[in-house]
Amino acid sequence: MRRGLTRRRFLQGSAGLVLAAATTPAGCRLFRRGEVPAALSPSVWLRVTPDEAVTVVVAKSEMGQGVTTSLPMLVAEELEADWARVRFEVAPADDRFNDPVWGTQATGGSTSIRHLYEPLRLAGAAAREMLRAAAAREWGVPVARCRARAGVVTEAGGGRRATYGELCRAAAELPVPDAPPLKPDGEFRLLGTEPDRLDLPVKVAGTAVYGMDVFVDGMVYAAVARPPAFGAHPGAFDEAAARRVPGVRHVQVLPGGRGIGVCADTPWAARRGVEALAPSWAGAADPSLDDAALERAFLAHLGRPGVTARDDGDAPGAVAAAERSLRARYLVPYLAHATMEPMNCTARVGPGGCEVWVPTQNQSGARRAAARASGLPLAKVRVHTTYLGGGFGRRFETDVVEEAVALAKGSGRPVKLLWSREDDFRHDFYRPACACDVAGALGPDGRMAAWHHRVAVPSIFARVFPDRVEGGVDPAAVEGLRNLPYEVPNVRVEYVRVETPVPVGFWRSVGSSHNAFAVESFVDEMARAAGQDPLAFRLAHLGGSRRARCVLETAAAAIQWWKGLRPGEGRGIAQHFSFGSYVALAVEVRVDRPRGRIRVLRACCAVDCGRVVHPDTVKAQMEGAVLFGLGAALKEEVHFGGGGVATSNFDDYEPLRMSEAPMVEVHLVESGEAPGGVGEPGVPPVAPAVANAVFDAVGVRLRRLPLSPANVARALSLS
Amino acid sequence: MLELEVNGRVHRVDVDPETPLLWVIREHLRLTGTKFGCGIGLCGCCTVHLDGRPERSCQVSAGEAAGRRIVTIEGLAPDHPVKAAWMEEQVPQCGYCQPGQMMQAAGLLAANPNPSEAEIVAAMDGNLCRCGTYPRILRAVRRAAAKGGER
């Protein structure tokens, strides 16, 4: 792990052309190295060096979404670089690499391309103009005659040529253009193509360094005994027994009493040391907390007054007055992230500073956490981001950083802290469970006249971004509801905040992951009640949204919506807008009634994410999101008992397996609009599409997730 | 001291023989391509070959592995049809489970060079991928099988 040195060399190196871009109130501004005003934190760095390499610093975390390829592509396109010479380097945690929109360094919300689309292209364009200008000066010709292409500047009408490597030093002496021209959309050579991902050679070789794979001289391994119930802290424990395990060197209660850490020469000894502790625990927040108690709490909240997040017309009045009205209650469970790489962090604390290696989505938060836990000022904390073995929102949290730093400080040695899979399942920040009651009215014309939606769900933002909770409304809790896309004259959305001891956090597609299930199920129910085709009914209520209609029509055409089906099979469709993109999913299912088993036979996804940088990456994200969503739709549910989490490992929380995965067909709908996100928007339509298909197949409406054999069999037996 | 033959090299390691092979491979020998995922043999991230057959290295103790031929992802030739197919199909996303997936696939193809789709799915079903790369894995195994057949 000497990547830190390469980064320093990158930032201090004198050879070649180095550019930074910063977002200012006046727009994006570009700077040469060493000329950045202190008040600005430029987010993008690129370097053109005499060895002909173009290096792009990627300030976003690579967790599978392909940013280490797509972000360099944005630079290379405008720079007219030779793609074969383009490299990436992972940025250290530093304010200079803050996200230009957020002012903090983090990866989430499907924003990487959206936030960096312009700054990266401008940086590439500026470098291109400087290289052309350097050639023009060298040759004594007008810049207009110097053409840049594939890493070479050539003289139009003359025979001279010079490579970027030859020109970069001279270019570095020239002024940075204020507003370098960007290519018009039709002239892209690289954007829209599918070069091999730059991160895959090491991932296929098995040499990619994840957090788990970091080694620091003199380090010990740490494992932690954790409380079985939320809020509990350690009582008595057998430190001597742990110390008798060969290799154990250090035992320590973690700050806040969140657990007891054991440091040892090997991970195996640390784990055995934890087993020897045999601790007692005290002070559980609610020892009676279990699945049934939580469900009672959510249902009770549905009966309490909430805050109104949207109120058009008079939805309750319209429902009461309507000749045809419909009511439905939808329930979704808590979910775990279950990244394949369990939580881990390596930390070193000394008088000179604190150094942390961590697979994180939140570099700024990791730095603050390390500063807090080490007692050192922020300036003395260095954080290195490794590859992430999955993120899905879990790695936005920095709990593991605090623990590793506390143990490194306490033990006096560098520490590699590894969570067990059981730790990972039992101490997650869960996708909140959610209950909602929806009432709707149909007018005499067969159109939706009213939609009254009450959602009871815990608040993520109250803990993470309390400033963004406005008027008591958590924006995630009403995602997809407040912006209900269907044209309905009377809409009321009410939010009831549920508070339980279960910690909740961001999970791929956040509030849309539960709200889309209710919305897209209920609109299907309304269509059936109106005696209309669910696709046609949706299209009829999406008059104002051409892009939503287009993805629906594309997915429907792909699955041959109108074609006949065999008995026991059904088709369902759903659409959802989130994170700047429109996604529709149509599925075909077969229902095995006696066993309550649902098999998804086909999945056709249509996405309009605006301008596309790397189509195959978008397809991969959609394939992955559909299967991630399908696991949640069919199988996933965190169970609780005894005041804590009962779920422990992949035996009682199984993500989707290959035998359950359909082939996913992905269709890109090209709208040419501004880029949208692609990491998350594929998830929300999955569960409702499947539930709608089950209704189509067997005429039974499934309103509770997961659509597990037990839940399906229960619903079928009640029908 | 245990003698472990990994990727054709014999290593002498001073470990408790009860230590799962996984940790010896990763932390003692620093062959970190073999991943920890669950510790109970349910995710397949730690798959290596023992005497040519895919096994979960978290479920085999170092003592049991002594005297057997151990091959990890680092020992699978760079031009192995499975690795080549994984690149051609651009399979990995986060990539964490992929060494285990590739070792499982290579083991399947060594035993059954021309598997049916059902045989591929049956062989790969114990390897979890949270990023949802299953369709690409299936295509890559088919591609690797076709290429292996040509040779």
Side-chain angles (χ1 to χ4, degrees):
Chain A
M1 277 316 289
R2 299 261 60 98
R3 291 207 282 172
L5 291 176
T6 26
R7 285 185 201 118
R8 270 205 299 280
R9 202 174 63 233
F10 179 89
L11 297 173
Q12 294 164 358
S14 57
L17 171 60
V18 179
L19 281 186
T23 303
T24 73
C28 186
R29 288 180 59 200
L30 299 157
F31 304 96
R32 290 184 295 189
R33 185 179 52 79
E35 293 182 349
V36 179
L40 296 176
S41 63
S43 56
V44 172
W45 295 75
L46 81 91
R47 179 180 60 182
V48 183
T49 42
D51 61 357
E52 305 295 344
V54 169
T55 308
V56 178
V57 176
V58 174
K60 295 291 176 180
S61 305
E62 179 57 83
M63 48 192 171
Q65 80 284 40
V67 282
T68 49
T69 303
S70 53
L71 297 180
M73 282 174 76
L74 292 170
V75 173
E77 175 69 63
E78 295 292 344
L79 179 56
E80 295 287 2
D82 173 3
W83 178 251
R85 304 283 192 170
V86 176
R87 312 275 180 269
F88 74 88
E89 283 182 9
V90 176
D94 190 302
D95 289 345
R96 288 169 301 173
F97 296 104
N98 281 350
D99 180 280
V101 177
W102 291 334
T104 173
Q105 192 180 350
T107 307
S110 304
T111 55
S112 298
I113 295 286
R114 287 190 281 164
H115 290 181
L116 293 169
Y117 192 73
E118 187 184 295
L120 283 170
R121 289 176 60 205
L122 279 170
R128 176 196 70 217
E129 293 307 308
M130 291 165 80
L131 290 158
R132 290 176 65 211
R137 176 181 283 195
E138 174 82 20
W139 300 332
V141 299
V143 175
R145 281 183 46 199
C146 297
R147 182 169 151 276
R149 179 74 63 90
V152 178
V153 180
T154 51
E155 182 195 4
R160 286 177 287 196
R161 69 192 293 280
T163 66
Y164 284 8
E166 290 161 355
L167 292 167
C168 65
R169 283 199 181 95
E173 303 302 318
L174 300 177
V176 182
D178 280 339
L182 295 180
K183 291 187 191 176
D185 277 2
E187 294 182 14
F188 292 149
R189 267 184 282 276
L190 187 59
L191 301 190
T193 68
E194 302 177 337
D196 281 3
R197 282 174 55 154
L198 299 178
D199 57 333
L200 294 205
V202 289
K203 288 180 174 179
V204 169
T207 54
V209 175
Y210 297 84
M212 196 68 92
D213 306 328
V214 170
F215 290 93
V216 175
D217 288 344
M219 75 180 189
V220 290
Y221 294 86
V224 174
R226 298 174 189 280
F230 295 117
H233 48 82
F237 58 91
D238 194 345
E239 180 171 344
R243 286 184 178 278
R244 279 196 297 275
V245 173
V248 168
R249 292 170 177 269
H250 177 74
V251 178
Q252 175 187 342
V253 174
L254 291 172
R258 68 211 287 174
I260 309 157
V262 174
C263 299
D265 292 339
T266 67
W268 183 240
R271 184 56 53 194
R272 293 188 60 203
V274 162
E275 286 161 9
L277 286 171
S280 63
W281 303 93
D286 176 6
S288 67
L289 182 127
D290 61 12
D291 287 343
L294 281 166
E295 183 163 335
R296 281 196 303 275
F298 276 83
L299 296 183
H301 277 80
L302 279 178
R304 292 181 194 165
V307 287
T308 300
R310 174 173 170 181
D311 205 7
D312 303 349
D314 175 15
V319 171
E323 273 185 37
R324 282 191 295 174
S325 65
L326 205 64
R327 289 174 194 278
R329 170 171 289 178
Y330 302 93
L331 301 173
V332 305
Y334 286 99
L335 295 174
H337 296 84
T339 57
M340 290 313 300
E341 180 189 19
M343 295 301 108
N344 67 84
C345 178
T346 302
R348 174 163 62 195
V349 180
C354 172
E355 198 161 8
V356 167
W357 294 261
V358 62
T360 184
Q361 292 177 244
N362 183 358
Q363 287 79 4
S364 296
R367 280 184 80 208
R368 285 194 300 271
R372 210 159 45 232
S374 64
L376 291 165
L378 213 50
K380 290 201 165 183
V381 174
R382 293 182 62 198
V383 171
H384 308 281
T385 309
T386 63
Y387 279 115
L388 282 64
F392 314 122
R394 176 63 179 88
R395 290 193 152 102
F396 183 80
E397 305 291 345
T398 57
D399 47 341
V400 71
V401 177
E402 283 180 37
E403 293 177 1
V405 171
L407 287 164
K409 191 180 179 190
S411 69
R413 290 167 178 273
V415 164
K416 175 151 128 184
L417 168 62
L418 305 176
W419 285 32
S420 68
R421 177 58 66 188
E422 289 77 9
D423 291 340
D424 205 85
F425 271 118
R426 290 179 172 160
H427 301 274
D428 199 349
F429 293 82
Y430 303 89
R431 196 294 298 272
C434 171
C436 59
D437 278 338
V438 196
L442 286 166
D445 55 355
R447 288 180 63 88
M448 291 192 278
W451 185 301
H452 182 187
H453 202 120
R454 168 173 284 217
V455 58
V457 65
S459 172
I460 299 168
F461 277 67
R463 175 179 63 86
V464 182
F465 298 125
D467 296 353
R468 288 180 56 192
V469 178
E470 285 176 24
V473 177
D474 176 318
V478 295
E479 207 168 83
L481 304 179
R482 188 156 56 178
N483 56 329
L484 185 79
Y486 296 107
E487 289 167 356
V488 185
N490 302 287
V491 177
R492 179 180 288 181
V493 174
E494 292 164 342
Y495 162 55
V496 187
R497 181 174 161 193
V498 180
E499 291 189 68
T500 80
V502 183
V504 295
F506 297 122
W507 185 95
R508 195 174 187 174
S509 81
V510 196
S512 289
S513 72
H514 48 76
N515 288 337
F517 175 60
V519 168
E520 285 299 298
S521 292
F522 194 69
V523 77
D524 220 75
E525 298 205 40
M526 294 282 271
R528 300 285 183 171
Q532 294 182 41
D533 172 77
L535 169 65
F537 188 77
R538 282 178 174 81
L539 293 172
H541 287 83
L542 287 168
S545 180
R546 178 184 52 82
R547 297 175 73 187
R549 289 200 313 274
C550 195
V551 290
L552 269 172
E553 285 165 346
T554 304
I559 207 154
Q560 299 174 281
W561 184 254
W562 304 104
K563 202 178 159 194
L565 286 159
R566 281 179 293 198
E569 294 183 0
R571 247 177 235 131
I573 198 163
Q575 64 82 28
H576 189 73
F577 168 79
S578 59
F579 305 94
S581 294
Y582 296 80
V583 180
L585 183 72
V587 298
E588 237 166 68
V589 304
R590 183 186 303 136
V591 182
D592 174 352
R593 283 192 84 121
R595 294 191 185 81
R597 285 197 55 199
I598 297 164
R599 180 154 190 87
V600 177
L601 306 170
R602 290 178 69 200
C604 297
C605 171
V607 54
D608 171 2
C609 60
R611 275 164 281 178
V612 172
V613 174
H614 188 292
D616 189 54
T617 292
V618 175
K619 287 179 185 164
Q621 284 302 295
M622 291 300 136
E623 291 163 11
V626 168
L627 298 183
F628 191 88
L630 190 56
L634 295 179
K635 300 171 79 178
E636 295 175 31
E637 176 170 24
V638 176
H639 291 289
F640 299 86
V645 175
T647 297
S648 65
N649 205 317
F650 291 127
D651 48 353
D652 48 17
Y653 192 101
E654 255 205 33
L656 202 75
R657 288 189 181 274
M658 187 190 262
S659 59
E660 300 158 318
M663 280 295 175
V664 181
E665 244 181 65
V666 180
H667 299 266
L668 305 187
V669 174
E670 292 184 17
S671 64
E673 300 283 346
V678 296
E680 293 166 280
V683 175
V686 182
V690 174
N692 293 339
V694 171
F695 181 85
D696 189 51
V698 297
V700 175
R701 186 58 65 175
L702 303 177
R703 301 190 184 94
R704 170 193 281 261
L705 296 181
L707 308 175
S708 59
N711 283 341
V712 172
R714 191 179 313 127
L716 291 175
S717 70
L718 293 174
S719 69
Chain B
M1 279 289 181
L2 283 177
E3 284 199 352
L4 292 176
E5 189 206 315
V6 184
N7 301 333
R9 258 187 71 191
V10 176
H11 301 262
R12 288 168 61 81
V13 287
D14 181 14
V15 294
D16 172 359
E18 291 301 304
T19 309
L21 177 62
L22 163 68
W23 297 113
V24 179
I25 290 171
R26 285 183 47 80
E27 311 296 334
H28 295 255
L29 305 182
R30 300 202 175 181
L31 293 167
T32 53
T34 303
K35 300 302 188 201
F36 166 62
C38 70
I40 59 172
L42 285 179
C43 74
C45 284
C46 66
T47 304
V48 299
H49 291 181
L50 288 183
D51 295 333
R53 300 225 325 239
E55 301 264 4
R56 307 296 186 236
S57 64
C58 74
Q59 296 299 296
V60 179
S61 72
E64 289 167 330
R68 302 176 69 182
R69 262 184 312 116
I70 304 163
V71 176
T72 70
I73 187 69
E74 293 90 347
L76 205 65
D79 63 348
H80 189 283
V82 164
K83 283 187 171 173
W86 248 248
M87 280 304 296
E88 283 154 8
E89 294 291 344
Q90 294 280 290
V91 173
Q93 288 186 26
C94 91
Y96 191 80
C97 73
Q98 299 298 343
Q101 304 276 4
M102 286 183 275
M103 294 311 285
Q104 187 71 24
L108 166 68
L109 295 179
N112 179 0
N114 190 20
S116 66
E117 180 166 327
E119 286 169 332
I120 296 172
V121 171
M124 302 303 297
D125 212 33
N127 288 71
L128 289 174
C129 172
R130 192 65 166 147
C131 297
T133 63
Y134 299 130
R136 288 178 189 233
I137 290 174
L138 186 59
R139 287 206 300 268
V141 178
R142 281 204 203 109
R143 182 188 278 269
K147 188 183 282 181
E150 285 167 15
R151 297 205 306 185

